[in-house]
Amino acid sequence: MKPLGALSLGILFLPLAACGGGGTSRNDSSATSVSTNDSGTAMAETNTAASAPSKPRVSAAPEGILSCSTERGQAAAQKLVKTCTSVSPATHPPCNAANSCAIIEDEIARSCALIGDAAASTPGCAVDPKSDAAAAAVVRRYYSAINAHDYATAWTQWGPDGRPGQRFADFQKGFADTRATRVTIGPMPPSEGAAGSIYATIPVTVDAQLNDGRQQRFAGQYVVRRVNDVPGASADQLRWHIDSATLKPVAG
């Protein structure tokens, strides 16, 4: 797995055991995260849903976000935009090379989930939105968005309302001391169903570099969820999103 784009951001804030966006979770524990204190040392935190999360505002070309054309080059960005516009029903960006690659890919994933069974024969939907590959793509997109400073897109990988029990502003501040992250995804066990939802476990190793040059490594897993095929389900319900995560610091 090659490194994702660099960022000049906050404390490394990696959610550990949080329930996902509004559905039934297999993890009933309170929200736990690994972050760094002022000296950059990893520490565990426990968060409770004391206040409703606030939604971030998203603009067509947000200031401070690494554009897709800058991240991957103009030709690759335009190719991604073309795919996005071929499947997206939206009449406004995110299908715009001035946005992060993560938000463009997120719109493609959303649109393919909305298309449903026909996505398999839709040229722009290269990955089956119900597949384990699409589940793993959520975690890759999460870290891609973080590296592009696109915290709004990272936030919504937990669901349309973001990470339960946390304010968006606090989520964003959590990356203030992080220069770059890289996620490596390991072999996935088969996805499984429970209570009308499908769950997929994504084993990960996350490497992070802080602004002061120090390196940190975390290992564990994300659990992503989507609603099983139900008549009338929305695209947000049908697509994969992060449900919970468990990460622990590892030496070296």
Side-chain angles (χ1 to χ4, degrees):
M1 186 65 145
K2 64 181 180 180
L4 300 172
L7 60 147
S8 300
L9 309 173
I11 302 171
L12 178 63
F13 192 96
L14 301 173
L16 287 195
C19 295
T24 302
S25 172
R26 297 185 300 176
N27 190 333
D28 294 329
S29 63
S30 59
T32 307
S33 62
V34 165
S35 64
T36 55
N37 58 21
D38 292 340
S39 65
T41 305
M43 61 183 180
E45 296 179 338
T46 299
N47 302 317
T48 56
S51 59
S54 57
K55 293 184 180 180
R57 293 184 298 171
V58 181
S59 60
E63 184 179 356
I65 290 179
L66 182 68
S67 72
C68 193
S69 57
T70 300
E71 180 183 347
R72 299 187 189 176
Q74 189 65 28
Q78 288 301 330
K79 183 178 180 180
L80 193 60
V81 167
K82 185 176 180 180
T83 299
C84 185
T85 54
S86 73
V87 297
S88 173
T91 57
H92 55 82
C95 299
N96 187 325
N99 288 325
S100 70
C101 296
I103 196 173
I104 302 172
E105 291 171 335
D106 192 62
E107 177 62 15
I108 293 170
R110 185 192 75 85
S111 301
C112 291
L114 185 62
I115 292 170
D117 291 337
S121 58
T122 301
C125 300
V127 177
D128 180 351
K130 298 178 182 179
S131 68
D132 287 349
V138 174
V139 177
R140 289 193 180 96
R141 197 158 54 241
Y142 181 65
Y143 285 98
S144 175
I146 289 169
N147 278 294
H149 307 197
D150 186 356
Y151 304 114
T153 297
W155 173 255
T156 56
Q157 300 315 296
W158 287 87
D161 294 325
R163 184 183 176 218
Q166 186 179 26
R167 296 170 60 250
F168 173 70
D170 295 331
F171 175 83
Q172 181 172 340
K173 286 177 183 177
F175 298 98
D177 292 332
T178 304
R179 179 176 299 165
T181 63
R182 179 180 65 186
V183 62
T184 302
I185 293 177
M188 293 172 55
S191 55
E192 56 188 51
S197 293
I198 305 295
Y199 295 87
T201 300
I202 321 291
V204 298
T205 301
V206 179
D207 291 289
Q209 183 179 22
L210 301 182
N211 287 333
D212 62 8
R214 283 178 294 171
Q215 305 285 332
Q216 292 184 326
R217 172 169 286 185
F218 300 84
Q221 65 183 33
Y222 282 83
V223 173
V224 299
R225 181 181 70 87
R226 67 175 177 84
V227 171
N228 207 351
D229 295 332
V230 177
S234 68
D236 283 328
Q237 292 173 318
L238 291 171
R239 64 183 302 200
W240 295 103
H241 63 269
I242 299 172
D243 185 73
S244 65
T246 306
L247 301 175
K248 296 180 180 179
V250 238

